[in-house]
Amino acid sequence: MTDIDQIRTKIKRSQQHTFPLYIHEFGLEMAVNEGVLSPHEFQGWRWYTENFPPVVGKSILEIGCGFGLPGLYLAKLGALSLVACDIDPRAVANTLENAARNGIDNVEVIESDIFTNIPPRRKFDFIFWNCPSDYAPNDYEYRDDLERGAIDPGYRLLSRFLSEGPEFLTESGSMLLGFPSGHRDDLLSEIIVANDLESVLLGSGTYPHVSAIYRLFSIRKRGPNA
């Protein structure tokens, strides 16, 4: 079985539940609707929520919000504001539902293909993406919308995120990239260098019975003295 076959199997398994799923995590009551990647099969959100930098008073943009974590927890934890976006309208609706369910009102949820619908004058202290890190050839064609949350043909999405992201950062802001080990670090490094960026590994870790080593990188424009 190829890597792509394995991720397809995982995506299929993520929809073999009775929906909506209800989970209680980080003090939040969350519903997970059909058509959104299940938190049971895709667990990176949990590690990133636990290991996010301090957010009190910070403005946050979350790309690919899914069912709403970690963004909604960060908004409740003390972030100044959260803009959560997803290319899939089902994920947008799911995050809006969970924001209302938990009385979180310092959040705006919009449908956007990465930065496409983010107003160009908006600036954020943190731009976070638990990105689809499974690599596929550049000519790969998605079989369904769920594959967009896990597979990135030619790392075109990653390239867009890192090339366009700096325009939406505050002066001291940074892009926070969730990128597990075991994927194409060589291509990630090439994209960082090509965009004159610098990267710092903020942390890495695992969960029992989960093979992935989750990693969180802070990425920003290279300083003048670097």
Side-chain angles (χ1 to χ4, degrees):
M1 182 180 291
T2 67
D3 291 343
I4 294 298
D5 289 334
Q6 289 177 344
I7 195 63
R8 283 174 174 164
T9 298
K10 188 176 179 180
I11 291 169
K12 182 179 180 181
R13 191 168 62 243
S14 84
Q15 298 301 293
Q16 294 173 342
H17 299 283
T18 299
F19 290 96
L21 290 171
Y22 292 100
I23 63 173
H24 180 82
E25 296 286 349
F26 300 100
L28 301 176
E29 298 294 335
M30 306 291 286
V32 184
N33 295 335
E34 186 174 7
V36 177
L37 292 175
S38 164
H40 298 314
E41 282 73 29
F42 292 86
Q43 299 193 31
W45 59 271
R46 188 188 306 273
W47 189 88
Y48 296 120
T49 303
E50 292 176 348
N51 292 277
F52 211 88
V55 297
V56 173
K58 303 292 187 180
S59 56
I60 301 172
L61 170 62
E62 181 183 18
I63 307 294
C65 55
F67 69 98
L69 283 175
L72 293 180
Y73 174 71
L74 301 175
K76 184 178 180 181
L77 193 63
L80 177 66
S81 63
L82 167 71
V83 175
C85 72
D86 203 291
I87 192 174
D88 192 333
R90 292 172 297 184
V92 171
N94 203 161
T95 296
L96 280 169
E97 174 188 341
N98 284 324
R101 182 186 304 276
N102 291 278
I104 300 171
D105 56 12
N106 58 333
V107 56
E108 178 183 359
V109 189
I110 62 176
E111 185 177 339
S112 183
D113 179 4
I114 310 183
F115 299 107
T116 301
N117 292 330
I118 307 301
R121 290 192 176 91
R122 292 292 296 269
K123 304 293 181 184
F124 302 91
D125 297 305
F126 293 130
I127 302 176
F128 169 68
W129 195 13
N130 175 15
C131 73
S133 51
D134 285 277
Y135 180 83
N138 198 53
D139 60 354
Y140 180 84
E141 295 184 4
Y142 293 119
R143 292 186 175 184
D144 55 46
D145 289 338
L146 279 171
E147 288 194 357
R148 296 179 184 275
I151 300 171
D152 185 356
Y155 277 2
R156 295 193 303 267
L157 301 177
L158 179 60
S159 295
R160 285 180 54 201
F161 176 71
L162 294 178
S163 64
E164 299 171 15
E167 298 302 317
F168 295 89
L169 291 173
T170 61
E171 186 174 346
S172 60
S174 62
M175 296 175 288
L176 301 180
L177 178 70
F179 193 86
S181 65
H183 298 283
R184 293 295 301 274
D185 281 7
D186 58 329
L187 296 182
L188 172 61
S189 296
E190 287 181 12
I191 297 168
I192 289 172
V193 170
N195 287 283
D196 196 28
L197 302 171
E198 56 185 2
S199 172
V200 175
L201 177 63
L202 297 182
S204 63
T206 62
Y207 278 113
H209 314 299
V210 177
S211 59
I213 300 176
Y214 300 111
R215 300 180 300 176
L216 184 63
F217 293 89
S218 174
I219 303 174
R220 63 180 68 188
K221 276 292 185 183
R222 187 175 298 277
N225 298 319

